[in-house]
Amino acid sequence: MKYSNKINWAFASAILVSLCWLIGDIFVAGFDPDPGDYPLFSKDYAGQADVVFATLMLEGSTPRLMFGALIGALTGPLLLPATWLVYQFFTDRKKWYAVLTYWILLAGAVLSPLGHAGFFYVGEIYKAVYHTDPIAHPYLLETGRGFMKMLNIAWGAAIGVLAVGWITFAVCIILKKTLLPRWMAILTPIVLTLLIIPLKNVLPLPYSGWVGGAIFNIAYLIFFSSLLFFFRKKLFAEESNN
């Protein structure tokens, strides 16, 4: 794998999109509320709404949630060159496993913006329930269930496809099918996400909410930063040998 303007721009896209999605996650879902503080949902409507999601974004203003949703959704196209960049690290890009991994990750990237943006609508509908007269609650709760169903499908599909793609890529790293050392498998987003999760439980507010909301994209940023570090180190080594 040699240096080129395409590689340069792909790295820039990967780092930028990771930062934008990390910021977006913090703004749209970076909260860590105690559902017990909202008895309307944790008690009165416990059987009619997902209590965790119903209370998650109640503290977020509409501009905050909107910004968080849009900065992720509108920078979604940058995931495409970032995915192409990952593909470049296969030792033989014509092999079936390389092509398959690339297309799975590409599909996950295409699915991701809708799942991310869906948090805005869920947050807004449950804020409406919380701040309106009870006479309107049955209709709003029904709408909220529809929004949650949409979010679960869109978000679940994106995360599920990405999980398959990144686990496959990690396996390829371990089997030496890529240019990366085996230890880099630990820094792939899904594996790294699992390692970051416990950090949320030891951090104070508001940082626990920030990490909880942005775990996956924190992992993305660390992964692509590590990829850049590895690539530059390898490039400098090759130049020194020449």
Side-chain angles (χ1 to χ4, degrees):
M1 180 178 174
K2 297 181 179 180
Y3 176 82
S4 68
N5 283 333
K6 285 184 178 180
I7 296 294
N8 193 36
W9 283 110
F11 268 117
S13 297
I15 299 297
L16 180 59
V17 76
S18 298
L19 284 170
C20 287
W21 279 63
L22 192 159
I23 293 169
D25 282 348
I26 290 174
F27 271 75
V28 80
F31 308 96
D32 192 15
D34 180 356
D37 293 338
Y38 303 97
L40 180 67
F41 293 109
S42 60
K43 294 182 179 179
D44 298 355
Y45 297 140
Q48 301 181 58
D50 183 314
V51 177
V52 173
F53 272 92
T55 58
L56 177 62
M57 292 166 274
L58 292 178
E59 299 174 8
S61 66
T62 296
R64 170 177 173 157
L65 299 184
M66 186 179 295
F67 173 78
L70 289 175
I71 193 175
L74 295 181
T75 57
L78 295 178
L79 291 169
L80 303 183
T83 304
W84 175 84
L85 177 65
V86 173
Y87 178 56
Q88 303 311 301
F89 281 86
F90 280 96
T91 51
D92 187 347
R93 294 193 296 274
K94 294 181 180 179
K95 293 291 186 180
W96 67 268
Y97 50 79
V99 175
L100 178 64
T101 303
Y102 174 58
W103 281 100
I104 293 174
L105 289 175
L106 200 62
V110 172
L111 291 170
S112 293
L114 177 59
H116 178 81
F119 279 82
F120 170 77
Y121 302 101
V122 171
E124 286 296 296
I125 196 67
Y126 286 120
K127 280 168 56 184
V129 174
Y130 193 68
H131 293 291
T132 56
D133 191 281
I135 195 170
H137 289 178
Y139 174 76
L140 293 175
L141 287 169
E142 180 64 27
T143 304
R145 285 191 288 273
F147 284 179
M148 272 303 306
K149 184 176 182 180
M150 181 75 172
L151 177 62
N152 285 333
I153 293 171
W155 189 42
I159 293 297
V161 172
L162 285 172
V164 172
W166 285 117
I167 290 171
T168 303
F169 186 64
V171 171
C172 288
I173 293 175
I174 294 170
L175 296 178
K176 297 297 292 180
K177 302 298 184 182
T178 74
L179 301 172
L180 302 172
R182 284 192 171 98
W183 60 263
M184 277 289 289
I186 298 174
L187 298 183
T188 52
I190 292 297
V191 177
L192 196 55
T193 293
L194 298 176
L195 297 177
I196 297 173
I197 287 174
L199 181 62
K200 174 185 179 297
N201 299 322
V202 299
L203 291 174
L205 291 171
Y207 308 110
S208 60
W210 294 359
V211 171
I215 286 177
F216 195 56
N217 288 298
I218 292 173
Y220 256 69
L221 181 59
I222 293 173
F223 170 72
F224 281 114
S225 298
S226 301
L227 209 60
L228 178 59
F229 175 79
F230 170 81
F231 178 71
R232 289 176 65 85
K233 183 179 179 181
K234 189 172 184 295
L235 190 66
F236 289 150
E238 290 176 353
E239 290 177 348
S240 298
N241 293 333
N242 294 331

